[in-house]
Amino acid sequence: MLQPLNLNRIHRWGLQSPPASHRLLPCLIQPSMADPSEAKGEGSLRKAFGGVLGVFILLLIGTLAFSIRLFSVIKYESVIHEFDPYFNYRVTQFLTKNGIYDFWNWFDDRTWYPLGRVIGGTVYPGLTLTAGSIWWLLNNLNIPLSVETVCVFTAPIFSANAAWATYLLTKAPPSHQFEVKGTGAGLTAAALLAMVPSYISRSVAGSYDNEAVAIFALIFTFYLYIKTLNTGSLFYATLNALSYFYMVCSWGGYTFIINLIPMHVLLCIVTGRYSSRLYIAYAPLVVLGTLLASLVPVVGFNAVMTSEHFASFLVKCQEVFIILHVVALVYYIKGILSPKMFKVAMTLVVTIGIAVCSAVLAILIALVASSPTKGWSGRSLSLLDPTYASKYIPIIASVSEHQPPTWPSYFMDINVLAFLVPAGIVACFLPLSDASSFVILYIATSVYFSGVMVRLMLVLAPAACIMSGIALSEAFDAFTRSIKFQLPKLFEASPSDAGDTNRGTQDEPTKVDNNTPTEKTETTAKERPSEKHRKKEKKKLEKGKEIKEKGKENTDKVSNKPLNAKKLLVLPLEASAVAILLLLILGAFYVVHCVWAAAEAYSAPSIVLTSHSHDGLHVFDDFREAYAWLKHNTDVDDKVASWWDYGYQTTAMANRTVIVDNNTWNNTHIATVGTAMSSPEKPAWDIFNSLDVKYVLVVFGGLVGYSSDDINKFLWMVRIGGGVFPHIREPDYLRDGQYRIDAHATPTMLNCLMYKLSYYRFVETDGKGFDRVRGTEIGKKHFRLTHFEEVFTTHHWMVRIYKLKSPKNRIRGKSKKKTNPKTTSKINSNKNVKKNPWQ
Amino acid sequence: MGRRTRSAAAMAIVPLLLLSFFHLLQFVSSTQEIRVLSAEKRIDLTSPIARVFLTLKVENYGAPEVPEILIAFSPTESEHLAILKASTVEGKRKKKTYVPLSVSPVSSPDAPNGAQLYSVTLRSPLQSGETTTVEALYVLTHSLEPFPTEISQSEPQLVYYRDSATILSPYTIVEQTVYIKTPSSKVESYTKVEPTARSGSETRYGPYHDRLPYSFSPVIVHFENNNPFAVVEELVREIEISHWGNLQIRDHYRLKHAGARHKGVFSRTIAALGYFYWVYDTYAKHPCRLDYQFRQSLSASFKTLLAMLPPRVHSVYYRDDIGNISSSHLRINSQKSELEIEPRYPLFGGWKATFTIGYGLPLQDFLFESSDGRRYLNFSFGCPLIETVVDDLTVKVILPEGSRNPTAAVPFPVNQHLEMTYSYLDVVGRTTLVLQKRNVVPEHNYPFQVYYDFNPIFMLAEPLMLVSSVFLFFVAYIAYVHIDLSIRRPLKTNS
């Protein structure tokens, strides 16, 4: 029993005070604050022990980060998730099959038919290259893992890396100023990041997406920046540029870094914190980083040209760069000139400098203003003006992750961290260092960006974790310290028992003694499920014990301590005990929430759906059924049209050419498909035929109640289509402003292709045509298709595939032969359909 | 239509063929004086695979003793011939036993019109004047030709079967009858070669008397066969032996419905592929059952396949290249394991699907040590799916790393060669014996053996490698910690 107690104790105390020089064993008896007069050898032993323990905890955090993301594999299967990951998977397959050179030159003719897409030049290659090299390495070691397996597990592996990077980053900022809280805060932040739901949502096993790798790169770049800032080492500055390069390779979010760091540099200069270390941290990053970034084909000269970078590179990065150099020069000259001469030189330089700067600024503004969007891309414009996208670009607005988040989504994604962040900010201000000012800036900007787009919640998550880590660590530090200071006083009184000690303190030990057991019972009752918490609790309990021991045996030392210790933040004993308890409950709540989010909310691969009923689990595997059907039973060069959501999946799983896909780079092309879907059969057939389409795929959830189907997305098709082709007008599809598909729906709606393809023969299933998503009977039940024929419908009708009928020779006179609609509805055989193509 | 005219043409040239056969007759049978007293051919067409039982009562009326007799096949038949087994009946009545006889193809340039001869070696040479009864079973694949070649979803599937009303034989047949059994009594048409009779699901040609050698009279039977024509176009079986106690099997299938191609619309409501669906009711917030009125499907689509796996099978998986296929049932008992699988979608004529079935087996059930110290694997050849034709079967037996001299003992001719497979942490690679065979039918599910030499010390190679690499890592780390690589002059304290 003694041994584990001992270990835990050392974790709490040993790691928090790395330079503390205590003996390992005697510290059971002598756990007082750092005593510099102790022997150095024992201190290093203790430090080594603390280091090993720290490494061990970090390993556990890595394991936690990895394994909490495996719910998707356990509950479902080892499979690639959703939409974008399928594209990344396909690119990785290509890379592993054809090699890196073919990858850079890959022109993909399977998508955006007939335009195609230059994959090598339009994709962020970081993720693909990472997974590709992992696969290559494993296969060279004769570990025959499939590309799919590697891709599935890339995200969890990088989450573990990100947790470790968070540890480094959080440990780094305060280390320059006060080293005591560094490791503790680092470990706490790493543990928080390992299971923050926001990041889990993008990095569960199978979610093979850029963000999974990019968050690691982001944190690591920040860490190296801080490290350079603290050390002023060119080595770290170079590493920082390389890490920034990796980030640029991985994700478009690199602009965040190149915006944030100049802002921080500017902040430092403005607040008079300029130092040579700042210069070394910034100048190599800008020069090397930008050079490297422009090597990435997808970025290229964008690294200096577009306004996303104008904000950073020219307006800020460059300007900051110039300012930095001016400041550096000023400091340098200040050093070598006499004050008088300096004043003269200053006025000269300032006048010339202002003239030059204003000229450059004027040119820049002219350049930026000459471009139509003022050099901003739509997505970043919507960053500045959150309502921009919904007003002007339906294609951006139609993506749910580009919407501003709601308050519940903050609670869902960062949970209790939202409450801890302010405390962390406060902690960072006492005292403010270069590093902690950076973290403050980071959280401030990321809070803003996350408020604009749900997707950027991901950038907020690490910042929130760091802040909360610092807050929690500081809080524990303050509370335990105040307990530690006050407990000995109590015990001083209790053994001596004499009347000279005051009554008030004599009451306190009993209170504390009551407190600790109740704490224990409460916490055990509430937080049984979380292991981590139990550990904490144990730690706390034994801390109480050891404090008592300490109190008993170190009576003489105690008297010194309140004197030489910094007297700040000594709280009342009961208050701190209760506060610790509350913090633990908060932590436990966070853990429970994260596990729930990982298991229930974010693990569904979305290509396989399940539902529970009284007699077990039902699997809806219709998407893969349809894609497998397309793959095996259509010609390899056939073109499949569907709404762009399913483009990536169709190319990856069915290996068929698609018209549009999730890389929404060509609005007109998407609008064409949208128009076809919103048109009546014949014009739709003409549009599709002109695009060489052979099959049309629609997703229909009406039979089983799958709500994100094409009918529910249909208004976006109308809007996007109408944005380019004005004859498609949204009001034509709405009855009194309401979108409906029942008997009150507009004729345009009931005759459009999407309606027909979704509800064709639907009435035969239950006789009424009851749509379970919309909760109504459909408006037009019995109709036939003249230009399309159904070739496949999946088991639950979730995917329906139609083939374009080849044009028939028109025989005059035959078109007049019409059959009575009442009788035709009952005839199931397709012969009749064929005989009268012009119904 | 084209096929019909061709068959008509074939009928027209029959007399010509007969004439030419007659000319050839002399020197073929001049070597042996054998005649078939009575012959009976029963053709079973109830499944997609044609099985033919041939009973010949042979008499040697010449002087020299005859060690073997010949069975003839037309060129198309020999192309589709999957297996030919012959046996002879010994004993009388109740003590009747079938003794298998060895069969080997004969390269006979003298056979007319490319007829392929197989010789059946008799147990004891047939003496002058003696008779013996030989029973042969042969299986023909791809010999049922769908006509019409395209059908819609609700139409029945009709097929042609082409054969001869008389038995093709290098000997004179005194009396012969051919019976053709169809799955149902629904026969569209059949060629009449008098006497021909049809009753129920059976069509009888004959009896014919005293037909000359190689006489041939083509017949076509056009009948309904709604069996799913499951054909595995390619099956690659990987059998990986681990001496740590596991036998891992991976079967990669490329399945095709080889019946009449599906044409026109597809409809779930006609398909009758299931009688109810589980639906998730958004409003009721729980799944509910939705029953439909389906019309019974007539078409030959298939939804489920049954694979017979060995007993004590474990860790079974069924997936394809885009993930797990969630529709399968495994029933295990002590005798056998049955895996019922559904492809992702029901297969209609001409549709294809690929999938992989993998499972593990306890090694002690299949790996034995022979008397001379060699180890041998005893495993079943062929495809575990029942009633399935495999066009191209490749069996790869992956022996453990370090095994040598593999030899295979397969009861029928197969192509074989060796290759190297590299699996988890292999250095020299695993010797892999590859057996290839075309046209495999369920009758090929027959055990085969692979013998090899193996030294058990190789089992420890990979664990030792891992242990030593971890050890080396720590040694390297210790060395790194203790060596100061900096250029600076060492300071007085080591950090």
Side-chain angles (χ1 to χ4, degrees):
Chain A
M1 198 54 212
L2 257 177
Q3 205 52 35
L5 286 183
N6 189 5
L7 282 179
N8 282 318
R9 247 192 81 259
I10 283 173
H11 159 58
R12 276 300 314 159
W13 298 87
L15 284 183
Q16 282 193 358
S17 50
S21 43
H22 287 294
R23 278 180 219 165
L24 178 60
L25 279 175
C27 67
L28 251 183
I29 313 158
Q30 228 180 16
S32 54
M33 287 296 279
D35 200 344
S37 63
E38 291 270 340
K40 267 218 162 129
E42 286 156 356
S44 70
L45 178 64
R46 187 191 154 137
K47 201 174 146 193
F49 202 82
V52 169
L53 198 66
V55 168
F56 185 63
I57 292 170
L58 277 179
L59 276 178
L60 281 183
I61 288 174
T63 317
L64 171 73
F66 183 81
S67 50
I68 201 170
R69 286 165 170 82
L70 298 187
F71 276 111
S72 59
V73 172
I74 292 160
K75 286 183 73 177
Y76 296 89
E77 56 178 288
S78 169
V79 75
I80 307 285
H81 288 196
E82 297 196 309
F83 306 103
D84 288 24
Y86 268 99
F87 170 74
N88 296 326
Y89 171 49
R90 179 163 164 260
V91 175
T92 315
Q93 274 182 319
F94 184 89
L95 173 71
T96 51
K97 206 181 286 170
N98 299 337
I100 181 80
Y101 291 106
D102 280 351
F103 166 67
W104 291 123
N105 296 324
W106 185 17
F107 177 81
D108 185 11
D109 58 355
R110 302 251 112 190
T111 177
W112 293 96
Y113 182 83
L115 307 171
R117 176 183 174 193
V118 185
I119 299 274
T122 58
V123 79
Y124 285 101
L127 176 76
T128 315
L129 291 178
T130 308
S133 29
I134 294 175
W135 180 85
W136 177 84
L137 188 74
L138 288 176
N139 272 267
N140 275 7
L141 289 174
N142 280 331
I143 300 175
L145 290 183
S146 66
V147 180
E148 191 189 7
T149 314
V150 172
C151 291
V152 164
F153 292 103
T154 301
I157 288 170
F158 272 82
S159 321
N161 291 348
W164 293 327
T166 310
Y167 165 74
L168 293 174
L169 175 58
T170 318
K171 193 171 78 99
S175 67
H176 196 60
Q177 294 291 334
F178 44 105
E179 286 174 297
V180 182
K181 84 178 174 189
T183 316
L187 288 175
T188 320
L192 290 177
L193 186 102
M195 49 189 174
V196 64
S198 169
Y199 187 26
I200 286 179
S201 73
R202 292 313 190 106
S203 63
V204 291
S207 180
Y208 176 57
D209 211 347
N210 290 336
E211 286 92 335
V213 174
I215 291 301
F216 158 71
L218 181 89
I219 301 171
F220 199 64
T221 309
F222 286 158
Y223 158 66
L224 285 171
Y225 172 69
I226 298 285
K227 186 82 183 171
T228 324
L229 201 58
N230 282 343
T231 57
S233 142
L234 262 180
F235 170 70
Y236 283 113
T238 318
L239 279 189
N240 190 17
L242 287 175
S243 167
Y244 171 67
F245 174 56
Y246 184 65
M247 176 71 193
V248 175
C249 285
S250 307
W251 195 33
Y254 71 91
T255 49
F256 182 69
I257 295 184
I258 208 62
N259 279 305
L260 186 62
I261 289 180
M263 272 165 77
H264 178 243
V265 172
L266 206 61
L267 185 80
C268 283
I269 291 171
V270 168
T271 53
R273 288 176 162 272
Y274 171 79
S275 66
S276 57
R277 286 177 285 108
L278 186 70
Y279 183 83
I280 287 176
Y282 186 64
L285 173 68
V286 169
V287 176
L288 275 179
T290 312
L291 275 177
L292 287 171
S294 55
L295 292 180
V296 182
V298 64
V299 179
F301 279 102
N302 277 356
V304 280
M305 291 303 279
T306 57
S307 268
E308 278 159 55
H309 304 263
F310 270 138
S312 57
F313 194 79
L314 291 179
V315 176
K316 201 174 300 143
C317 201
Q318 193 88 304
E319 202 166 277
V320 168
F321 196 59
I322 292 164
I323 291 170
L324 188 68
H325 276 97
V326 169
V327 173
L329 193 69
V330 167
Y331 272 78
Y332 177 69
I333 291 170
K334 215 178 190 173
I336 55 170
L337 287 182
S338 67
K340 204 177 179 184
M341 286 281 280
F342 177 70
K343 244 176 206 170
V344 176
M346 193 68 178
T347 44
L348 192 75
V349 166
V350 164
T351 43
I352 295 172
I354 286 175
V356 170
C357 279
S358 51
V360 168
L361 209 67
I363 293 169
L364 276 180
I365 288 169
L367 270 178
V368 175
S370 65
S371 71
T373 57
K374 307 276 180 284
W376 297 83
S377 70
R379 230 172 262 174
S380 5
L381 269 182
S382 71
L383 269 184
L384 296 183
D385 174 12
T387 57
Y388 176 84
S390 51
K391 270 190 245 160
Y392 302 108
I393 317 172
I395 201 147
I396 290 179
S398 72
V399 181
S400 59
E401 61 180 23
H402 291 161
Q403 306 286 348
T406 51
W407 286 113
S409 72
Y410 273 97
F411 188 74
M412 176 70 195
D413 276 357
I414 57 173
N415 201 245
V416 302
L417 304 188
F419 311 123
L420 290 171
V421 163
I425 294 175
V426 171
C428 280
F429 271 109
L430 337 145
L432 188 70
S433 65
D434 291 350
S436 60
S437 67
F438 177 75
V439 181
I440 293 168
L441 202 64
Y442 177 23
I443 185 98
T445 46
S446 60
V447 164
Y448 172 73
F449 287 134
S450 71
V452 174
M453 242 186 226
V454 181
R455 191 182 178 185
L456 293 178
M457 193 80 92
L458 197 59
V459 177
L460 170 67
C465 287
I466 291 165
M467 281 302 176
S468 312
I470 292 172
L472 275 181
S473 168
E474 284 287 286
F476 271 111
D477 208 37
F479 296 138
T480 51
R481 196 167 53 223
S482 47
I483 291 181
K484 206 164 62 182
F485 286 156
Q486 289 174 35
L487 267 188
K489 260 191 233 161
L490 309 176
F491 287 108
E492 196 181 329
S494 50
S496 59
D497 242 356
D500 53 343
T501 45
N502 58 358
R503 301 288 173 219
T505 44
Q506 221 171 5
D507 289 343
E508 276 177 31
T510 52
K511 265 184 196 169
V512 173
D513 280 354
N514 291 341
N515 252 357
T516 20
T518 46
E519 266 170 42
K520 189 195 162 197
T521 46
E522 267 179 43
T523 45
T524 41
K526 279 192 176 174
E527 292 118 21
R528 178 105 304 175
S530 69
E531 281 246 339
K532 186 173 161 277
H533 180 72
R534 232 178 285 157
K535 219 186 282 169
K536 270 187 192 167
E537 183 188 307
K538 205 192 268 176
K539 243 177 271 162
K540 219 176 61 57
L541 263 184
E542 103 222 355
K543 193 183 304 147
K545 275 183 201 165
E546 98 213 2
I547 284 165
K548 281 176 211 161
E549 287 169 36
K550 175 189 69 185
K552 278 171 194 159
E553 296 170 44
N554 276 15
T555 38
D556 53 341
K557 271 207 166 181
V558 172
S559 54
N560 299 338
K561 209 177 290 162
L563 293 177
N564 63 5
K566 313 148 227 170
K567 272 224 164 175
L568 43 93
L569 283 176
V570 178
L571 297 166
L573 188 71
E574 302 87 338
S576 43
V578 169
I580 288 178
L581 172 69
L582 289 178
L583 281 183
L584 290 179
I585 292 174
L586 204 64
F589 183 72
Y590 178 71
V591 172
V592 170
H593 174 80
C594 290
V595 172
W596 172 82
E600 301 295 331
Y602 292 135
S603 284
S606 95
I607 54 160
V608 189
L609 309 166
T610 53
S611 79
H612 292 273
S613 75
H614 50 276
D615 64 339
L617 188 75
H618 295 282
V619 180
F620 300 89
D621 202 359
D622 286 37
F623 289 109
R624 289 191 293 188
E625 183 182 346
Y627 294 132
W629 184 86
L630 274 177
K631 180 172 187 171
H632 295 299
N633 300 306
T634 59
D635 189 71
V636 76
D637 286 327
D638 284 345
K639 280 86 191 167
V640 181
S642 64
W643 190 234
W644 60 262
D645 294 21
Y646 313 104
Y648 277 166
Q649 291 184 348
T650 312
T651 40
M653 283 196 261
N655 192 22
R656 291 295 171 268
T657 309
V658 295
I659 306 299
V660 290
D661 69 18
N662 309 42
N663 178 265
T664 51
W665 64 274
N666 189 326
N667 191 37
T668 316
H669 222 49
I670 293 178
T672 310
V673 174
T675 307
M677 293 295 190
S678 343
S679 305
E681 236 184 295
K682 174 68 176 142
W685 187 91
D686 288 337
I687 292 172
F688 281 141
N689 195 45
S690 71
L691 287 169
D692 285 356
V693 169
K694 203 151 177 206
Y695 295 94
V696 181
L697 179 150
V698 293
V699 172
F700 170 64
L703 182 71
V704 289
Y706 171 67
S707 60
S708 48
D709 64 349
D710 277 349
I711 290 285
N712 273 4
K713 289 173 187 168
F714 181 60
L715 271 192
W716 288 112
M717 301 181 204
V718 174
R719 274 174 211 157
I720 293 169
V724 177
F725 302 99
H727 68 276
I728 303 290
R729 297 187 308 121
E730 192 178 334
D732 292 347
Y733 297 85
L734 303 174
R735 172 76 73 193
D736 304 328
Q738 272 190 316
Y739 177 59
R740 54 201 310 169
I741 44 96
D742 56 8
H744 298 292
T746 59
T748 323
M749 179 69 211
L750 295 180
N751 281 315
C752 72
L753 185 71
M754 181 49 74
Y755 181 90
K756 285 195 164 181
L757 296 192
S758 291
Y759 294 115
Y760 179 60
R761 299 181 95 163
F762 179 54
V763 70
E764 289 167 27
T765 55
D766 58 356
K768 297 196 300 275
F770 185 79
D771 185 321
R772 283 186 167 66
V773 174
R774 267 63 59 174
T776 53
E777 281 184 28
I778 58 172
K780 194 172 169 187
K781 294 175 183 176
H782 304 285
F783 57 88
R784 278 181 281 122
L785 295 172
T786 47
H787 296 91
F788 294 84
E789 75 179 352
E790 183 183 9
V791 286
F792 189 69
T793 295
T794 56
H795 188 223
H796 302 97
W797 290 56
M798 275 162 62
V799 184
R800 310 194 69 184
I801 300 172
Y802 293 83
K803 189 177 181 179
L804 269 73
K805 277 189 192 165
S806 47
K808 285 202 162 193
N809 291 334
R810 189 161 180 173
I811 304 161
R812 294 210 177 271
K814 216 176 182 183
S815 59
K816 288 184 180 153
K817 206 164 74 182
K818 273 194 177 173
T819 41
N820 190 357
K822 276 178 189 169
T823 53
T824 52
S825 62
K826 284 174 188 168
I827 295 168
N828 278 327
S829 73
N830 49 331
K831 281 172 194 161
N832 265 324
V833 184
K834 275 188 177 171
K835 274 179 189 164
N836 86 3
W838 317 108
Q839 147 179 329
Chain B
M1 276 309 280
R3 294 184 189 269
R4 204 165 252 171
T5 49
R6 206 190 323 143
S7 64
M11 278 150 106
I13 59 166
V14 167
L16 286 173
L17 282 176
L18 282 175
L19 270 179
S20 58
F21 288 155
F22 190 72
H23 285 294
L24 289 162
L25 166 73
Q26 272 79 15
F27 64 93
V28 171
S29 54
S30 60
T31 47
Q32 294 170 352
E33 290 176 313
I34 296 174
R35 68 178 171 209
V36 178
L37 293 179
S38 69
E40 186 189 83
K41 185 173 172 184
R42 289 184 174 273
I43 304 168
D44 182 2
L45 301 178
T46 51
S47 75
I49 305 169
R51 291 190 172 80
V52 183
F53 302 90
L54 189 65
T55 313
L56 300 172
K57 194 172 177 192
V58 190
E59 186 195 29
N60 180 5
Y61 64 90
E65 55 183 36
V66 177
E68 56 182 24
I69 61 161
L70 299 173
I71 299 176
F73 293 95
S74 71
T76 39
E77 269 183 332
S78 67
E79 197 182 303
H80 293 150
L81 182 69
I83 193 166
L84 168 62
K85 286 181 185 171
S87 58
T88 183
V89 185
E90 291 209 339
K92 301 254 170 170
R93 300 256 164 188
K94 297 208 170 158
K95 288 187 179 174
K96 231 168 155 182
T97 49
Y98 289 91
V99 182
L101 301 174
S102 72
V103 180
S104 58
V106 181
S107 54
S108 51
D110 51 349
N113 280 38
Q116 175 69 43
L117 297 179
Y118 284 80
S119 78
V120 177
T121 312
L122 297 172
R123 291 244 304 161
S124 53
L126 199 60
Q127 302 297 329
S128 174
E130 273 186 350
T131 61
T132 184
T133 305
V134 173
E135 298 208 343
L137 160 70
Y138 61 90
V139 179
L140 301 172
T141 59
H142 297 288
S143 45
L144 298 180
E145 178 200 329
F147 190 88
T149 52
E150 289 190 339
I151 54 171
S152 74
Q153 203 174 333
S154 50
E155 281 173 344
Q157 173 175 271
L158 299 171
V159 293
Y160 277 147
Y161 177 73
R162 297 158 201 274
D163 204 342
S164 165
T166 55
I167 298 166
L168 191 67
S169 170
Y171 313 117
T172 308
I173 302 174
V174 178
E175 187 187 1
Q176 59 175 318
T177 324
V178 174
Y179 299 95
I180 298 179
K181 191 166 190 290
T182 52
S184 66
S185 55
K186 289 177 189 160
V187 176
E188 286 283 301
S189 67
Y190 58 96
T191 316
K192 286 190 176 161
V193 180
E194 288 303 334
T196 304
R198 200 170 82 80
S199 62
S201 61
E202 198 168 72
T203 311
R204 174 171 55 86
Y205 287 96
Y208 305 113
H209 298 282
D210 295 319
R211 292 298 165 112
L212 294 173
Y214 294 112
S215 55
F216 193 83
S217 61
V219 292
I220 291 186
V221 186
H222 191 200
F223 60 98
E224 186 177 319
N225 188 337
N226 277 323
N227 284 305
F229 280 37
V231 171
V232 180
E233 290 185 318
E234 190 184 9
L235 170 59
V236 179
R237 308 196 76 185
E238 291 174 20
I239 303 167
E240 189 167 344
I241 300 168
S242 161
H243 276 258
W244 291 95
N246 191 34
L247 191 69
Q248 187 65 38
I249 321 284
R250 286 181 295 272
D251 296 345
H252 306 280
Y253 291 87
R254 203 173 78 215
L255 186 72
K256 187 186 177 182
H257 187 303
R261 280 207 308 282
H262 174 252
K263 75 165 182 208
V265 285
F266 169 88
S267 173
R268 281 277 168 189
T269 47
I270 304 179
L273 300 163
Y275 292 96
F276 61 86
Y277 292 114
W278 284 98
V279 299
Y280 188 81
D281 195 324
T282 326
Y283 299 96
K285 292 286 176 209
H286 63 81
C288 57
R289 220 173 106 156
L290 181 70
D291 292 273
Y292 287 45
Q293 285 285 303
F294 281 118
R295 280 204 276 153
Q296 187 61 46
S297 171
L298 295 164
S299 82
S301 73
F302 58 88
K303 200 184 166 201
T304 60
L305 295 163
L306 195 63
M308 305 299 269
L309 306 181
R312 305 219 285 156
V313 65
H314 65 85
S315 358
V316 181
Y317 60 86
Y318 167 49
R319 55 168 295 153
D320 65 3
D321 48 3
I322 55 174
N324 181 41
I325 306 173
S326 36
S327 45
S328 57
H329 305 279
L330 180 66
R331 290 182 287 269
I332 300 182
N333 61 31
S334 59
Q335 301 300 312
K336 62 179 189 295
S337 312
E338 284 181 349
L339 178 69
E340 191 185 307
I341 55 172
E342 283 175 31
R344 283 199 187 273
Y345 39 85
L347 283 167
F348 283 86
W351 290 10
K352 293 177 183 173
T354 59
F355 54 88
T356 300
I357 298 175
Y359 47 93
L361 290 166
L363 190 68
Q364 66 266 29
D365 293 3
F366 299 95
L367 194 76
F368 308 96
E369 198 166 343
S370 64
S371 50
D372 58 347
R374 303 188 78 191
R375 286 170 168 76
Y376 70 94
L377 171 83
N378 187 31
F379 203 75
S380 170
F381 199 83
C383 167
L385 295 179
I386 59 166
E387 280 301 301
T388 318
V389 177
V390 183
D391 287 349
D392 202 343
L393 173 70
T394 308
V395 179
K396 294 184 177 178
V397 182
I398 303 170
L399 302 173
E401 197 177 19
S403 43
R404 280 169 291 113
N405 310 325
T407 48
V410 190
F412 27 78
V414 289
N415 293 331
Q416 48 179 286
H417 65 268
L418 289 179
E419 29 173 76
M420 252 335 164
T421 312
Y422 291 90
S423 185
Y424 291 93
L425 296 173
D426 285 349
V427 179
V428 291
R430 305 183 182 197
T431 316
T432 303
L433 185 71
V434 183
L435 308 171
Q436 279 172 317
K437 179 153 178 59
R438 293 189 55 77
N439 236 352
V440 177
V441 288
E443 277 75 8
H444 285 112
N445 287 355
Y446 206 78
F448 73 103
Q449 292 81 33
V450 175
Y451 292 85
Y452 62 97
D453 294 323
F454 181 74
N455 190 345
I457 199 78
F458 281 103
M459 284 168 72
L460 296 176
E462 275 154 18
L464 287 178
M465 213 161 72
L466 281 179
V467 167
S468 52
S469 63
V470 170
F471 179 72
L472 282 179
F473 170 75
F474 277 101
V475 167
Y477 184 72
I478 289 168
Y480 170 76
V481 165
H482 285 269
I483 296 171
D484 188 7
L485 291 172
S486 65
I487 309 168
R488 278 178 308 186
R489 209 180 307 139
L491 299 170
K492 58 181 178 182
T493 53
N494 52 342
S495 58

